[in-house]
Amino acid sequence: ADYHSFSEAESLIKQGANVNWRSDLWSNSDLHGRTAFICACANGHTSTVEFMLSSINYINLNLIDKRRTFSGFHYAFQNGF
């Protein structure tokens, strides 16, 4: 959801990728503990966000990143998406 195309994200999600997963190695990563949903929202990937919201049974919308304590919706709003 951060650097890849919608078709790649869609394929991974259809294969059962855990969109609530986040790395615990956030201090050494550019992801800062972000989930796929947070990355998609933060980077304006609206097609991916819409697909996630419409086709996944459970996305924890309350998860926040570990750096700025923002949820996906915080990033989307802040960036005007």
Side-chain angles (χ1 to χ4, degrees):
D2 203 7
Y3 304 110
H4 302 287
S5 71
F6 171 74
S7 60
E8 289 174 298
E10 179 183 30
S11 176
L12 289 169
I13 291 166
K14 285 182 176 180
Q15 292 176 42
N18 179 359
V19 297
N20 292 313
W21 181 86
R22 60 182 174 185
S23 172
D24 289 331
L25 302 174
W26 63 274
S27 62
N28 296 322
S29 169
D30 63 342
L31 297 178
H32 301 288
R34 294 179 183 172
T35 65
F37 182 74
I38 293 172
C39 288
C41 288
N43 291 292
H45 299 288
T46 55
S47 296
T48 302
V49 170
E50 289 170 358
F51 178 76
M52 287 179 174
L53 291 173
S54 68
S55 64
I56 296 175
N57 291 332
Y58 180 72
I59 296 177
N60 187 342
L61 301 176
N62 295 314
L63 288 176
I64 57 174
D65 70 9
K66 295 180 179 181
R67 186 184 80 177
R68 299 182 72 187
T69 63
F70 279 11
S71 72
F73 292 123
H74 285 110
Y75 279 107
F77 179 76
Q78 179 187 29
N79 295 322
F81 302 121

